[in-house]
Amino acid sequence: METGKGLASGPKKSPFTPKAVIYQRFGTKACYKVEEVQEVVKDGCPGLVIPQKGPCLYRCSLELPEFSVVSEAFRRKKDAEQSAAEKAIQKLGIQPKEDNLSVEQAWDELAGRLSYLFSIEFLSAIHPLSGHFRAALVREAHLNGFIPVAAIASFDAKINSLCKYISSEMESNHLLVLSLIIEAAKKLADTLLFSEEKLSLKRLTPHPPEIIQSLLKNEPNVPESISISAVRIPSSAEKTVESVTLNTSSGNYYLDVIAKELGVKDASKVLISRTIGKASSETRLYFCAPESIIVGPSSELSMKQASSFKGYVNTIATYLSGQEICGDAILASVGYTWKSTDLFYEDLSLRAYYRILANKIPSGIYKLSREAILAAELPTAFTTRSNWRGSYPRDILCTFCRQHRLSEPVFSSDSFEPLPDLPGCKRLRDTASGGNDTNEGGLAAAAVKQEECTLVYRCTVQIYSKCQDLILLCSPKESYKKQIDAIQNAALKVISWLDRFLDKVDMPVEEITSSAKGFDILIYPQHFVKEFTLCQFFPKYQWDNATPAGSFLCPGYSNVQNNTLEGELSFGMTQSSGSLMCVTYKIYLATERECIKEHLEGSEEFEFEIGSGAVSPVLEAVVSQMSINQSACFTMELPPKEIALAVARDSANVLSLLYSGTCLMKCEVTLLRVTVPLEDRMEQALFSPPLSKQRVEYALQHIGESCAASLVDFGCGSGSLLESLLAYQTSLEKIAGVDISQRALARAAKILHSKLNGNIEAEQPTNRIKSALLYDGSILTCDSRLCGYDIATCLEVIEHMEEHDACLFGDIVLSSFCPQILIVSTPNYEYNVILQNSTPQYQEEDPDEKSQQQSCKFRNHDHKFEWTRQQFGQWASELASRHNYGVEFSGVGGEPNKEPGFASQIAVFRRKDNSPVKADFTEHYDVIWEWSSSNNSRS
């Protein structure tokens, strides 16, 4: 549900549609006939003799014993049927019932519904419950004709709807509906027999023999014996989930078979859960009823304490069903449906059971949508629709809410003009229109067009309980140029936090609230805890990662082996973030000598975006360093048994290998193709060497000339600049990098560690580096450990921030970190006309990217702004003036005295004051990796 302003409450839906009212009155005697009618278009094309057809419409005639009616024409068949039923109701003079029934009316309706269910008319109807009535006719003598009250409660939706009017506690107390049905049955004591011992109902007057014979003759040819695979979920944690077989036949009531498997006498001792998984499925949990149930006068079921159940609380079954279940439970997909009188059934394997569990958490929903439980991960960022694979964040959140019986999430998006800049940037837009005479070829017009007021979007997400209690509100601070991006990113924030919450569901309320704030989420503790209480029973199988949780440096990568190209996976071949990789892969279990292999998962074409966290860190680390058509084989961390079973086709073989203690999980991968980001495509099409390499070479030249001993790279990413430094002779002895992406830092650590160790072992070292550090943190926050470095770099980073944050970054660096030299580069917006006109077209480009290209938009989807030369010059000059620095301007890609200047503009700030820097602030960054030449090790 999406709105412009928020949630609006509407009238409650009437419990009965016009068709339902007619059915209650006439049953199968009401006959609907729908015919297609073609509307002729008048004056569609003047002068054309041939009749022109209009849209396809439907008209319904409803034939009742006393009269018939015809509806108007509608575009949908069901609308025509409802219209015909409504006309019949008006003709019959039936007064429509109020939307909200009183308790007394609901009791009367409930008794009337029970009376209809036990009628001869219902016996022949196609209904999920009528099959139980027919099956009851062939039960053993003392059970013949008895229908378990649990079956009536579980398979008739109208019964449940009426019970909700009588008691609002029905949702939380699944035994209450049984009590209400029994109380209603007492009002029909002259027609129905209630057996307290059997917890079942039966007609006092048996059905006529000829009716029974007629029904048996019309029964479909059911096999003599039916074997149905199901899953037993034990209540004891010491026992394992196992497959079981239910053997039934045409002469057996399948609920009696399940009762036998549970170890109780008959179906009357079996309770039935709601549907598990999709609402349209017949997958349910079957479990034992309390040993003693007493129907009290207050219409409530009182029972003995939990000890009267057969076993302890079944935590997994309780979590799956959303209602307390004690003792062992059987998960089976069997029952009668609306489509046929046949008994529907399908085998349910251990694989299906564990996939049902995976579908309860956001990362599991995403993995299943990609059919890649072992390889895929829930991405950490929504970049572009063209690069996203699998279910979108919004769809994942909607599925999650349905799985946890919450209301559909409400997305409220607002558009607004961007906020004015902070002091120090406030005049950038004001001066953008000046200097038109210095630009040629329409470049000034393009630059001015950028500065026109354009709307941006921000989206909030609200999640309500079924009772319409607000439990969660997400209000992201980020704004986006497209409404769909705002919605998807807001949804991604919510599901990312929910994933973390479910991984540590037992955290205190204060910790829940605190962790949610980091995702711009406000929790309403009272309602939230109530809705997610059962999540404490969720099994911890590490669905969110196939490698050890919290391991950012990918220890499994040390096991990488390239069977055909050993030694050729060079660290210098790293693909850039945003590149779309397409691979073929297969993951399998194998013994150490690979005598036995068991396939787990694979894909002929599997795409993912580098840097978005969409795949296992180990897989990304390997693929990001491969060349097209190159293959690799590497070992992955063995997953928990339950995750392996979720992908296994043969659970027995997989369990045998896992229990052997000698098997490994291996992945074979081949890189098929790479689609680089639009920005890289533009630069590669026009510049040789690529613009990114030219920026690094420019920085290296200034670093070499500076005689600096220490350097920090703000927004170091995967460490391309730091890596390049190691191949040059410089005076640097200490280098550091800062970034907020732990995955990028992990790749940088791998590359630097390998090259620094290789440098020490070389006879003639290429550099004098003694220490290297990588920090996880925001460059908008100060950290005293990086204060006073000789030189600082920030290449193509500030445009990824909001404009006012870029201004804040400049002030923080020059006033607090105080490097002797600061080198900043950012795209020149005026050059985009040339870049985008030279870009080759790709068939699978996002239409939004194409439209941006045509209107000369930003170079990258993640750029929050791009400055003209005048804007960049003003920002840098004012910044230098405020903090006693000098500034020089240059760039790479293009010529300084030829329009439109450099493709990438650069400012070099030099500190005028050489007094010592005072570091009086705390340490905010986390050390991700540290290297020292003295011990040649990582901390």
Side-chain angles (χ1 to χ4, degrees):
M1 177 179 179
E2 292 170 21
T3 71
K5 296 183 178 179
L7 182 66
S9 58
K12 292 186 178 180
K13 186 179 178 182
S14 174
F16 301 113
T17 63
K19 275 188 72 176
V21 173
I22 292 296
Y23 188 82
Q24 283 184 328
R25 181 79 173 260
F26 297 98
T28 55
K29 294 177 183 177
C31 181
Y32 295 87
K33 293 181 180 179
V34 179
E35 62 177 354
E36 186 176 329
V37 293
Q38 198 72 52
E39 191 178 60
V40 177
V41 178
K42 295 181 180 179
D43 301 326
C45 181
L48 187 64
V49 178
I50 304 171
Q52 298 168 68
K53 294 182 178 180
C56 182
L57 302 175
Y58 298 95
R59 185 177 289 124
C60 177
S61 62
L62 170 59
E63 296 180 3
L64 298 175
E66 302 171 8
F67 60 87
S68 63
V69 293
V70 179
S71 74
E72 303 296 331
F74 292 87
R75 289 183 181 273
R76 297 191 300 176
K77 292 180 181 180
K78 64 179 184 180
D79 291 340
E81 291 174 341
Q82 294 290 358
S83 173
E86 192 168 3
K87 283 193 172 187
I89 289 172
Q90 291 173 355
K91 198 165 185 178
L92 287 166
I94 299 175
Q95 294 297 322
K97 293 182 172 62
E98 294 291 330
D99 285 350
N100 294 314
L101 298 177
S102 66
V103 175
E104 292 76 12
Q105 289 173 324
W107 275 115
D108 293 339
E109 293 281 354
L110 184 58
R113 181 64 181 172
L114 280 176
S115 180
Y116 169 69
L117 292 178
F118 281 87
S119 67
I120 295 174
E121 184 182 347
F122 181 72
L123 195 61
S124 59
I126 298 178
H127 187 282
L129 186 57
S130 61
H132 291 262
F133 280 84
R134 293 189 292 272
L137 297 176
V138 296
R139 296 180 78 186
E140 297 177 2
H142 69 288
L143 296 173
N144 188 271
F146 274 107
I147 300 294
V149 176
I152 298 173
S154 299
F155 299 110
D156 188 67
K158 291 180 182 177
I159 289 282
N160 281 272
S161 296
L162 291 167
C163 288
K164 290 177 184 177
Y165 285 106
I166 298 171
S167 175
S168 59
E169 297 178 8
M170 200 201 76
E171 284 286 338
S172 58
N173 184 355
H174 61 282
L175 291 176
L176 184 56
V177 66
L178 275 65
S179 172
L180 299 177
I181 292 171
I182 293 167
E183 285 294 301
K186 289 180 179 180
K187 298 181 180 181
L188 304 171
D190 55 337
T191 58
L192 296 183
L193 171 66
F194 168 61
S195 170
E196 189 170 319
E197 177 190 0
K198 298 182 178 67
L199 199 60
S200 302
L201 292 171
K202 178 181 180 178
R203 276 173 60 106
L204 278 177
T205 306
H207 289 294
E210 61 271 19
I211 296 293
I212 297 174
Q213 291 299 322
S214 173
L215 287 171
L216 293 177
K217 283 182 182 179
N218 294 328
E219 282 291 304
N221 294 322
V222 180
E224 286 297 320
S225 179
I226 302 172
S227 295
I228 307 169
S229 295
V231 173
R232 176 188 289 274
I233 305 174
S235 60
S236 172
E238 298 174 358
K239 297 180 180 179
T240 59
V241 177
E242 60 182 3
S243 292
V244 295
T245 301
L246 306 175
N247 294 310
T248 186
S249 65
S250 57
N252 287 340
Y253 183 29
Y254 80 89
L255 283 180
D256 286 332
V257 175
I258 292 176
K260 184 178 178 182
E261 185 64 39
L262 287 169
V264 293
K265 291 189 300 182
D266 56 66
S268 66
K269 302 298 182 184
V270 176
L271 297 180
I272 308 164
S273 77
R274 310 176 178 104
T275 54
I276 305 297
K278 293 182 180 179
S280 58
S281 76
E282 287 303 315
T283 304
R284 296 173 185 267
L285 283 162
Y286 300 85
F287 52 101
C288 298
E291 289 182 353
S292 176
I293 295 181
I294 304 168
V295 182
S298 60
S299 302
E300 293 184 359
L301 289 179
S302 58
M303 69 195 87
K304 293 183 179 179
Q305 297 300 319
S307 59
S308 68
F309 281 82
K310 283 187 171 295
Y312 302 100
V313 173
N314 191 322
T315 56
I316 296 179
T318 296
Y319 174 72
L320 282 175
S321 65
Q323 57 196 69
E324 187 175 82
I325 293 177
C326 292
D328 290 358
I330 300 293
L331 182 68
S333 185
V334 58
Y336 298 97
T337 69
W338 287 96
K339 297 179 180 179
S340 170
T341 57
D342 297 356
L343 177 67
F344 167 85
Y345 62 91
E346 61 182 0
D347 290 336
L348 200 146
S349 63
L350 286 175
R351 180 175 185 266
Y353 161 72
Y354 285 112
R355 291 167 87 87
I356 287 173
L357 278 179
N359 207 42
K360 297 282 282 185
I361 63 172
S363 57
I365 296 169
Y366 177 78
K367 286 168 177 281
L368 289 172
S369 75
R370 299 225 60 193
E371 284 295 326
I373 288 178
L374 297 173
E377 300 290 344
L378 178 64
T380 55
F382 182 87
T383 53
T384 64
R385 283 178 292 171
S386 61
N387 278 12
W388 186 274
R389 297 295 181 268
S391 293
Y392 286 110
R394 181 189 182 281
D395 299 329
I396 294 172
L397 182 57
C398 290
T399 300
F400 176 86
C401 289
R402 288 192 288 269
Q403 288 290 326
H404 290 264
R405 298 174 182 86
L406 304 170
S407 295
E408 289 286 303
V410 180
F411 297 86
S412 305
S413 55
D414 295 307
S415 59
F416 56 93
E417 292 182 9
L419 294 172
D421 299 311
L422 294 181
C425 292
K426 61 184 179 181
R427 293 192 301 277
L428 291 181
R429 287 194 173 89
D430 299 337
T431 58
S433 58
N436 289 358
D437 56 337
T438 63
N439 295 300
E440 298 174 2
L443 294 174
V448 173
K449 186 176 181 180
Q450 178 207 5
E451 302 307 323
E452 294 176 358
C453 289
T454 56
L455 295 178
V456 293
Y457 294 89
R458 193 172 286 156
C459 177
T460 60
V461 183
Q462 297 165 306
I463 297 182
Y464 292 82
S465 69
K466 284 293 185 184
C467 300
Q468 293 304 300
D469 294 321
L470 182 60
I471 63 175
L472 180 152
L473 172 64
C474 178
S475 304
K477 301 180 180 67
E478 299 83 3
S479 56
Y480 299 87
K481 301 183 190 73
K482 291 180 283 187
Q483 184 180 26
I484 187 64
D485 288 348
I487 292 171
Q488 299 293 359
N489 277 282
L492 183 58
K493 276 203 170 191
V494 177
I495 61 178
S496 297
W497 179 78
L498 286 169
D499 232 31
R500 294 197 181 190
F501 164 73
L502 290 171
D503 189 52
K504 194 180 177 184
V505 73
D506 55 349
M507 67 176 85
V509 173
E510 296 78 12
E511 191 176 340
I512 293 175
T513 304
S514 176
S515 68
K517 284 182 180 178
F519 289 79
D520 300 325
I521 293 174
L522 175 63
I523 296 298
Y524 294 82
Q526 181 180 355
H527 302 308
F528 183 87
V529 172
K530 177 184 175 182
E531 293 299 324
F532 287 95
T533 297
L534 292 178
C535 290
Q536 63 185 303
F537 301 134
F538 181 72
K540 300 298 187 297
Y541 298 144
Q542 291 185 351
W543 291 105
D544 57 331
N545 209 327
T547 56
S551 175
F552 298 108
L553 297 185
C554 311
Y557 185 76
S558 61
N559 296 322
V560 172
Q561 301 169 1
N562 188 336
N563 293 339
T564 57
L565 299 170
E566 188 165 352
E568 293 186 28
L569 284 183
S570 167
F571 284 110
M573 300 168 64
T574 303
Q575 299 288 347
S576 61
S577 292
S579 296
L580 191 64
M581 318 296 282
C582 181
V583 302
T584 179
Y585 80 94
K586 60 179 179 180
I587 299 174
Y588 57 89
L589 292 178
T591 53
E592 290 183 354
R593 296 185 180 181
E594 298 199 12
C595 301
I596 303 175
K597 286 186 179 181
E598 183 65 35
H599 177 79
L600 294 178
E601 179 181 288
S603 175
E604 290 300 317
E605 284 201 1
F606 182 78
E607 292 185 318
F608 65 92
E609 182 181 357
I610 290 288
S612 67
V615 291
S616 159
V618 181
L619 180 59
E620 180 172 314
V622 174
V623 174
S624 64
Q625 298 168 64
M626 294 171 64
S627 301
I628 294 176
N629 295 326
Q630 191 176 19
S631 299
C633 177
F634 57 95
T635 303
M636 299 178 73
E637 183 87 6
L638 272 176
K641 174 192 70 176
E642 295 78 7
I643 294 182
L645 289 174
V647 296
R649 297 290 178 180
D650 190 329
S651 57
N653 285 352
V654 168
L655 287 173
S656 175
L657 281 169
L658 289 174
Y659 289 146
S660 70
T662 60
C663 77
L664 303 169
M665 187 167 76
K666 293 194 172 183
C667 177
E668 294 178 3
V669 60
T670 301
L671 180 59
L672 301 179
R673 61 179 178 270
V674 179
T675 305
V676 298
L678 178 63
E679 183 178 14
D680 291 352
R681 295 205 301 267
M682 289 190 296
E683 293 182 357
Q684 290 172 9
L686 197 61
F687 299 105
S688 181
L691 206 55
S692 57
K693 189 171 182 180
Q694 290 188 41
R695 284 191 291 266
V696 170
E697 289 176 348
Y698 179 94
L700 290 173
Q701 179 184 346
H702 278 72
I703 292 165
E705 294 172 355
S706 69
C707 298
S710 57
L711 174 142
V712 56
D713 187 17
F714 292 110
C716 64
S718 299
S720 58
L721 174 62
L722 298 177
E723 176 196 357
S724 299
L725 280 171
L726 304 183
Y728 283 77
Q729 284 283 1
T730 67
S731 57
L732 290 174
E733 297 181 356
K734 183 178 182 179
I735 59 174
V738 184
D739 206 280
I740 57 172
S741 170
Q742 292 177 329
R743 290 180 184 271
L745 290 169
R747 293 197 296 271
K750 282 290 179 184
I751 296 169
L752 296 176
H753 186 75
S754 174
K755 293 207 168 186
L756 285 167
N757 284 344
N759 182 67
I760 287 181
E761 295 167 4
E763 292 182 5
Q764 295 183 340
T766 57
N767 61 69
R768 297 188 241 172
I769 303 296
K770 295 180 180 178
S771 72
L773 296 102
L774 293 177
Y775 294 98
D776 172 26
S778 167
I779 60 176
L780 299 178
T781 307
C782 301
D783 190 297
S784 57
R785 290 168 292 185
L786 296 179
C787 186
Y789 270 58
D790 293 332
I791 192 166
T793 54
C794 184
L795 306 183
E796 307 296 290
V797 174
I798 60 172
E799 63 274 9
H800 294 271
M801 311 174 187
E802 295 294 340
E803 201 166 353
H804 60 270
D805 285 336
C807 298
L808 179 62
F809 162 73
D811 286 325
I812 289 174
V813 172
L814 298 190
S815 67
S816 300
F817 289 112
C818 304
Q820 292 295 325
I821 298 173
L822 170 65
I823 303 174
V824 178
S825 77
T826 191
N828 173 12
Y829 177 77
E830 298 166 77
Y831 210 95
N832 289 1
V833 173
I834 295 175
L835 283 173
Q836 292 169 9
N837 286 339
S838 67
T839 307
Q841 298 297 314
Y842 288 79
Q843 272 189 336
E844 297 183 4
E845 273 183 356
D846 187 344
D848 290 327
E849 288 184 4
K850 289 183 179 179
S851 65
Q852 285 185 11
Q853 202 172 322
Q854 292 165 2
S855 58
C856 192
K857 294 295 183 181
F858 298 157
R859 299 182 196 179
N860 189 296
H861 64 85
D862 192 44
H863 287 184
K864 302 299 188 293
F865 67 90
E866 287 179 6
W867 282 333
T868 63
R869 287 168 291 171
Q870 185 173 9
Q871 290 172 300
F872 181 61
Q874 183 183 351
W875 170 78
S877 298
E878 292 181 357
L879 181 64
S881 176
R882 284 198 302 274
H883 301 289
N884 198 23
Y885 274 75
V887 63
E888 304 166 0
F889 296 97
S890 186
V892 293
E895 300 178 24
N897 299 319
K898 184 178 178 181
E899 292 299 328
F902 293 109
S904 190
Q905 49 192 344
I906 299 175
V908 180
F909 298 84
R910 298 183 187 275
R911 190 174 168 212
K912 296 178 180 179
D913 182 7
N914 292 322
S915 59
V917 177
K918 296 179 180 179
D920 56 355
F921 36 86
T922 57
E923 300 176 356
H924 293 285
Y925 299 162
D926 295 324
V927 177
I928 287 292
W929 172 83
E930 184 174 1
W931 181 92
S932 172
S933 61
S934 60
N935 52 28
N936 188 22
S937 63
R938 233 179 346 193
S939 62

